[in-house]
Amino acid sequence: MDPDKRIVYEFGEFILESGQRRLLRRDSGEPIALAAKAFDTLLHLIQHRGETLDKDTLLGAIWPGVIVEENSLTQNISTLRQALGETRAENRYIATVPRKGYRFVGEVTERTAPGEKRVTATPAGPVAADSKRSLRPVRMLAAALVALVAVATFLVQQGRGGHSAPHAIQTVVVLPFKPLLPTERDESLQLAMTESMIASLGARGGLTILPLSSARRYGSIEQNPLVAGRALHAEAVLEGSLQHHGDRLRVSVRLLRVADGRQLWAHQFDGNVTGIFGVQEQISAQVAGILSARFGAADGASPTLGGTKDSTAYLLYANGRYALARSTEPSLVLAIGYFEKAIERDPQFALAHVGLADCYMILGVFGMRAPAETLPRARDAVLKALHIEPRLASAYGTLGHIKMQYDRDWDGAEADFARAIALDPSLSEPHLYWGVLLGMRGELDRGLQELKQAEQLEPLLTIAKTRAASLLYFAHRYDEAIAQITESLALDDRPGIAHALLGRVYLRTGRYDLALAEFAQVRGPTPGSFGDVGQALALSGRRAEALAELDRVLKLSTQRYVSAGDIASMYASLGDTENALEWLDRALQQRASTLGFLAQNPAFDGLHGDPRFAAIVDRVGLWKRPLAK
């Protein structure tokens, strides 16, 4: 299916530009977004208008050399009918011929693009299977040459000051890759491919690449890329699809300008899974070249820091990243298994070591597992990553977080955060962790500033708003904390940490029923969550129920890890100072993650006058100010 690139087809209310690969409304010139294969289907039908094309012929033309289900063609036809505003029964443009196939029946006017010589396209008839096989290498080579010529032409026009773009594009969003066939969705590979593309483009410099946290919510199969681009205030959108079957991989990508929907570039890559890294770098290099209007040695492929050349290890890593992103206890355990297998395949895969460290860190910090069991493992894993690749910014961010939450090496943590930011200013996590550390020290304004920086780097990163709310909560600025949490939950109402924090604000402002309602929405452990319900019951005067809840949590602590700080908070709410102090001492021995805010935690306000509490605060070693009375 090699259309003459210069031909424009007009039919009904529409104009189809084959060279620019776009469908426009005739009256307004408004582009109509179509997936690449839907566009190919429409173009092929128009080029063979009046002919009844059986389904096998269409499948072979639209997906040459690939075995696909008939349902894929049916979905394309349905998509086209919706785009053209017709129902199945209307047949204004696309007619279904029962038991045979489809025919384009609309009246078509064919012309060349302005300034081009008229060329008559010759419809391609059915090709025998043997002929298809013999021509496939030639067609793939021809397609590659056409793509290179198109890119080169575009770059020459840009270099000569051509007016194909009104201004240089600076902000790009890479939308989550989609399956070529809906029935073959592999979310872990698709997200890993997206994440790699973001990292690869970002590493080339000169462009602002929006983070995965912003793009991920626009990952549905039906998502209109231009709508996503406008919502994210991006100037260009890179969207792609994957087909992964056995060892074979097909990647289709296109780059769209958001302002007018123009397709700036499109290409398809076919090969073996082992070549996935080369595909990523080719896409990155060509997109960066198009947007910067230059190709040169400086723009050549540069391997991702800490990556791997082992395709099996990469796929295991992709599954690990997908499980890690869910951040539940079972998903983190699953992710650990994937990362460990990736490391077995390639012990020098530094990013897999960082992924392993992040899993152990979250398990310990969120109170899912004992810090003494998980945080040393996290430290070992991230130090291995840095031994392999000393320039890995994300590894320094993780190491600093471990020093902050477990080692109590506050200065070392700050140094690691600064190093991570210096190596990769686009990373949000070091700003996030640093902001929390500053909040622990009582430097509220500086802490909020760092968290704001994290939010600016990733505008849809809800945890930045939630962490800002936690700093305000510990500063006893409850109304401001509620405003931040409300913004966070408006973006994503799932995170248990936000519901738990909102419940605590309600608790401290006497709204006990609202607090209990929020605590009921927390589905897994979050820092401090085992003590929340008991505190609410105690402070609301339901002492018998509070004691029953305390007894339940004490029994639970014999079966799994429960932070001693959570138990201390329940005793404090019940007015039992002796037991509260005893369990705080145990929390210190556990290196519980909640102790960083001990001096400011409203749950322990009633203990500030006790010198034994002040001594525990001193042993934590972070708070250097007088305790509020």
Side-chain angles (χ1 to χ4, degrees):
M1 192 180 75
D2 284 328
D4 190 313
K5 303 293 184 184
R6 294 162 289 191
I7 299 178
V8 175
Y9 303 93
E10 298 180 358
F11 59 97
E13 308 161 22
F14 306 97
I15 298 173
L16 185 144
E17 297 180 346
S18 59
Q20 300 298 329
R21 287 184 60 82
R22 60 180 183 173
L23 178 67
L24 308 172
R25 296 193 186 280
R26 187 195 292 264
D27 55 354
S28 64
E30 177 189 356
I32 299 171
L34 288 177
K37 292 302 179 184
F39 183 91
D40 290 343
T41 303
L42 178 59
L43 181 57
H44 196 76
L45 285 168
I46 289 175
Q47 288 176 324
H48 298 83
R49 54 194 176 275
E51 300 178 34
T52 298
L53 301 177
D54 63 59
K55 294 176 181 179
D56 288 340
T57 299
L58 280 169
L59 289 170
I62 309 304
W63 290 275
V66 180
I67 299 174
V68 298
E69 299 288 338
E70 185 179 305
N71 182 53
S72 301
L73 176 61
T74 305
Q75 288 185 345
N76 273 0
I77 296 295
S78 176
T79 297
L80 291 173
R81 283 180 167 140
Q82 290 178 19
L84 299 175
E86 69 173 12
T87 65
R88 184 165 183 162
E90 281 184 299
N91 291 337
R92 282 187 295 151
Y93 302 115
I94 301 174
T96 300
V97 182
R99 294 182 297 279
K100 290 188 178 180
Y102 301 98
R103 181 169 65 241
F104 193 90
V105 296
E107 184 177 342
V108 178
T109 301
E110 184 178 315
R111 61 179 174 82
T112 55
E116 296 288 348
K117 184 179 177 181
R118 175 72 173 87
V119 178
T120 303
T122 304
V127 182
D130 288 344
S131 299
K132 287 183 182 178
R133 274 196 292 271
S134 64
L135 290 174
R136 191 174 304 145
V138 177
R139 286 175 177 168
M140 290 179 67
L141 177 59
L145 289 172
V146 167
L148 288 173
V149 169
V151 171
T153 302
F154 182 87
L155 296 179
V156 168
Q157 290 174 347
Q158 293 278 69
R160 291 175 178 170
H163 51 77
S164 54
H167 64 276
I169 287 173
Q170 293 295 322
T171 306
V172 181
V173 59
V174 182
L175 293 182
F177 276 64
K178 302 173 184 178
L180 191 61
L181 305 177
T183 56
E184 294 183 359
R185 189 152 202 176
D186 185 344
E187 288 190 74
S188 59
L189 179 58
Q190 289 152 24
L191 285 174
M193 186 74 171
T194 307
E195 188 175 43
S196 296
M197 285 305 313
I198 290 171
S200 184
L201 280 170
R204 294 176 183 276
L207 294 170
T208 299
I209 310 300
L210 297 183
L212 182 60
S213 63
S214 296
R216 189 168 183 174
R217 64 182 52 228
Y218 297 96
S220 69
I221 295 176
E222 300 81 15
Q223 178 64 54
N224 183 313
L226 297 179
V227 171
R230 293 186 193 105
L232 294 170
H233 305 291
E235 294 169 285
V237 175
L238 182 70
E239 69 162 353
S241 60
L242 294 173
Q243 184 179 35
H244 175 212
H245 184 71
D247 290 335
R248 302 299 299 166
L249 180 72
R250 166 166 287 185
V251 182
S252 298
V253 287
R254 63 174 181 159
L255 182 68
L256 304 174
R257 189 166 60 200
V258 174
D260 56 7
R262 180 184 175 187
Q263 181 169 286
L264 302 178
W265 174 74
H267 198 47
Q268 181 172 285
F269 302 82
D270 291 276
N272 197 284
V273 173
T274 56
I276 191 170
F277 316 109
V279 168
Q280 291 170 354
E281 292 303 330
Q282 286 181 62
I283 296 171
S284 173
Q286 294 190 40
V287 170
I290 286 170
L291 295 179
S292 61
R294 56 184 167 80
F295 271 116
D299 297 315
S302 56
T304 301
L305 280 179
T308 181
K309 294 182 179 179
D310 186 311
S311 59
T312 301
Y314 178 82
L315 294 176
L316 289 166
Y317 171 77
N319 285 322
R321 290 291 300 174
Y322 181 71
L324 170 60
R326 291 158 60 195
S327 293
T328 64
E329 189 171 357
S331 75
L332 290 167
V333 172
L334 183 65
I336 286 171
Y338 281 123
F339 289 132
E340 287 178 338
K341 289 176 182 175
I343 292 166
E344 286 176 12
R345 290 279 311 187
D346 182 358
Q348 299 301 303
F349 192 176
L351 286 175
H353 287 285
V354 176
L356 185 62
D358 286 337
C359 289
Y360 281 123
M361 183 179 67
I362 294 171
L363 284 170
V365 170
F366 272 61
M368 302 175 192
R369 299 286 176 90
E373 172 192 342
T374 57
L375 274 298
R377 294 184 183 183
R379 189 199 303 115
D380 290 346
V382 78
L383 288 175
K384 287 178 183 175
L386 286 170
H387 177 74
I388 296 165
E389 179 45 77
R391 299 168 295 166
L392 203 53
S394 60
Y396 283 103
T398 298
L399 181 59
H401 200 199
I402 295 166
K403 289 179 180 179
M404 178 180 93
Q405 295 286 9
Y406 187 74
D407 296 333
R408 298 181 193 149
D409 178 4
W410 322 114
D411 293 338
E414 287 200 85
D416 285 335
F417 297 148
R419 180 73 181 276
I421 292 168
L423 286 169
D424 187 352
S426 69
L427 274 184
S428 64
E429 286 83 357
H431 292 285
L432 188 69
Y433 302 149
W434 202 344
V436 173
L437 176 55
L438 290 167
M440 288 177 175
R441 283 180 162 161
E443 298 181 52
L444 179 63
D445 290 340
R446 284 188 63 201
L448 292 175
Q449 184 178 353
E450 284 296 326
L451 292 171
K452 190 66 177 177
Q453 181 67 27
E455 187 179 341
Q456 288 172 349
L457 288 167
E458 298 200 39
L460 299 182
L461 187 68
T462 58
I463 191 64
K465 294 182 182 295
T466 304
R467 290 302 188 197
S470 72
L471 264 61
L472 293 165
Y473 166 74
F474 288 120
H476 296 62
R477 289 162 59 169
Y478 299 130
D479 289 342
E480 294 170 79
I482 288 176
Q484 283 287 324
I485 303 168
T486 302
E487 285 186 32
S488 176
L489 290 172
L491 291 170
D492 188 348
D493 64 358
R494 294 169 299 172
I497 191 170
H499 286 291
L501 183 57
L502 182 57
R504 288 169 202 154
V505 176
Y506 287 147
L507 190 61
R508 300 303 154 193
T509 53
R511 290 173 276 187
Y512 304 118
D513 289 342
L514 289 176
L516 287 167
E518 291 299 324
F519 296 150
Q521 296 194 58
V522 181
R523 295 288 178 260
T526 66
S529 63
F530 285 112
D532 285 333
V533 172
Q535 290 181 75
L537 294 170
L539 294 175
S540 63
R542 297 157 66 175
R543 187 174 181 83
E545 293 174 77
L547 289 170
E549 174 65 10
L550 172 62
D551 185 59
R552 184 191 73 81
V553 175
L554 286 169
K555 288 178 180 175
L556 182 65
S557 70
T558 65
Q559 302 164 15
R560 58 156 298 146
Y561 173 74
V562 173
S563 170
D566 295 12
I567 296 172
S569 68
M570 287 189 282
Y571 277 119
S573 297
L574 287 163
D576 188 341
T577 299
E578 297 303 317
N579 273 311
L581 291 170
E582 179 185 338
W583 281 91
L584 280 176
D585 189 73
R586 294 187 189 186
L588 199 61
Q589 297 172 40
Q590 286 181 338
R591 296 178 181 260
S593 64
T594 53
L595 288 181
F597 283 103
L598 178 61
Q600 305 169 70
N601 193 335
F604 302 110
D605 282 353
L607 302 181
H608 283 203
D610 194 309
R612 293 172 295 176
F613 179 77
I616 292 173
V617 171
D618 287 343
R619 287 165 62 196
V620 173
L622 186 60
W623 187 259
K624 303 300 181 183
R625 307 177 183 195
L627 292 171
K629 300 298 184 181

